[in-house]
Amino acid sequence: MDDDDEEMVIIGAGICGLATAVALNKKGIKSVVMEKSESLRNVTGAAIGIRQNGWRALDQLGVADILRPTAISLQRERMVLLKEGKQQQSSMIGETRCLRRKDLLNTLYDALPPDTVKFGCQLKSIKLNLTTNKPVLRFINGRSIIAKVVIGCEGGRSIVAEYLNVKPTKMFPSCNVRGVTNCPNGHSFDAEFVRFRSDNNLVGRIPIDDKSVYWFCGHPYIPGDERIWEDSEVIRQSTLKLLSGYPQQIQDMIENADTESLIFSKLRYRAPWDLLTGTFCKGTVTVAGDAMHVMGPFLGQGGSAGLEDAVVPARNMAQLGLDSERKITVKGVEEAFNMYVKQRRMRVVRLSLQTYVTGMLVVSSGLKKVAFVMLLAVLFSNKNGHVDYDCGGL
Ligand SMILES: Cc1cc2nc3c(=O)[nH]c(=O)nc-3n(C[C@H](O)[C@H](O)[C@H](O)COP(=O)(O)OP(=O)(O)OC[C@H]3O[C@@H](n4cnc5c(N)ncnc54)[C@H](O)[C@@H]3O)c2cc1C
């Protein structure tokens, strides 16, 4: 099969890949998105909390007002300490809503010109052709592309990140279960994000709208055949057993969760110290979203950070005058990507570090726990500071 020529190739049609294509398109730059699945992956992952920084990025992408009516605005955060019988509550800082992942993915997809996304195209390898100095992409389906520009947005197991020689991601010592419970007659929960904490576990509950509620909880890693976690009923029963000491209201929510929404995830992260030193662009190849900075869900910021990433390369390219296919030069793209990595590095280092320390705090005990509490207090005295970030205009 002959090699195809493409100017601007994005790998992965997840949140970040689609958002990156939308941003480029808004700047008049055409791209093609290569996705391994046969259709948009809009049926997994249940829901996603989007904080103010994420809404700022969605505003820039021009899709925020389509998404706002799909989810209620959360007014309050509450932490319930079950063992101690205490609770603390505070007003929600900034716009926060919990979107159905399918609404987010469908909306970004619909904002793109038809045929931008090519399904059934799983990247197998990326190599630099030393004669042309262009990256050559090979796909499992036999297709191959000589690209001028590549942005790897294919998640935590990124082949493009490997090509950039970024250190491999690590596994977090706990897992996560999440789901959505639909209540056809409406639920009785306030517009608040509640975390219920007991021992070394935490259950979160966030209403999406008047009839649906998203929830998640930590789950220990159980060695054995991992395929058992593809069975929703195994996930439900294991979670119910784990949370048997939690209030009946929580158990009912899990008992009644939509079977298709239940998902068990092992948690992967890129170490904050590797983000500090890693090379995230080489020539006209870079990475964004989880491919760059996969992090645990403990701050609920991985997806929003990917939306922030998406705005930046398009803005830089336009600022350097690369705002149409004719004007895209290798030198210009290299400069735009170097600026992008510089602009994003410390933001994602801080987010990943706070996420890591917060996660370790939940799963550790004794002296280790004290150390993580102190680290968090010293490094992140404003624990909600991450929400106030503005990725800037497109
Ligand atoms: C339990 C849990 C809860 C979370 N909660 C939140 C939250 O509340 N708020 C928040 O902001 N973030 C949250 N996150 C993080 C968020 O889900 C991710 O940061 C986000 O989905 C990353 O988007 P992405 O597009 O970078 O990668 P992905 O969503 O992983 O998308 C990658 C895409 O690339 C495709 N792909 C993969 N490999 C290839 C290949 N070789 N070739 C072609 N295509 C490929 C995949 O099929 C997929 O479509 C959570 C994460 C977890 C695990």
Side-chain angles (χ1 to χ4, degrees), residues 363-376:
V363 296
S364 51
S365 52
L367 273 180
K368 266 193 174 171
K369 197 174 195 98
V370 177
F372 284 121
V373 170
M374 284 167 60
L375 206 56
L376 213 49

Side-chain angles (χ1 to χ4, degrees), residues 306-335:
L307 291 169
E308 292 171 8
D309 291 344
V311 171
V312 183
R315 177 180 64 216
N316 291 351
M317 286 178 70
Q319 275 173 2
L320 293 170
L322 317 172
D323 50 0
S324 80
E325 264 175 72
R326 263 184 314 110
K327 299 184 192 162
I328 295 180
T329 61
V330 167
K331 203 162 171 289
V333 174
E334 281 181 14
E335 193 179 343

Side-chain angles (χ1 to χ4, degrees), residues 11-17 34-37 41 47-50 101 121-124 139 153-157 159 176 178 214 265-267 288-291 295-297 300-306:
I11 310 294
I15 296 170
C16 183
M34 311 300 284
E35 165 59 42
K36 76 170 176 188
S37 303
R41 290 181 67 225
I48 181 163
I50 302 287
R101 283 192 187 240
C121 296
Q122 178 172 354
L123 181 69
K124 189 166 88 177
F139 294 84
C153 300
E154 77 279 43
R157 295 170 183 226
I159 291 169
N176 183 284
R178 50 200 155 133
Y214 168 62
S265 313
K266 286 171 77 180
L267 303 176
D290 276 14
M295 59 184 88
Q301 279 284 19
S304 286

Side-chain angles (χ1 to χ4, degrees), residues 4-13 17-18 20-21 24-25 29-35 112-119 121 137 139 143 145-151 153 325:
D4 296 334
D5 270 297
E6 291 283 357
E7 294 285 296
M8 179 68 96
V9 181
I10 295 168
I11 310 294
L18 293 173
T20 302
L24 291 167
N25 185 52
I29 305 165
K30 192 170 162 280
S31 64
V32 60
V33 184
M34 311 300 284
E35 165 59 42
L112 288 170
D115 268 348
T116 301
V117 183
K118 311 289 178 204
F119 292 105
C121 296
L137 304 168
F139 294 84
R143 193 169 168 185
I145 295 178
I146 300 173
K148 193 181 241 179
V149 183
V150 179
I151 307 183
C153 300
E325 264 175 72

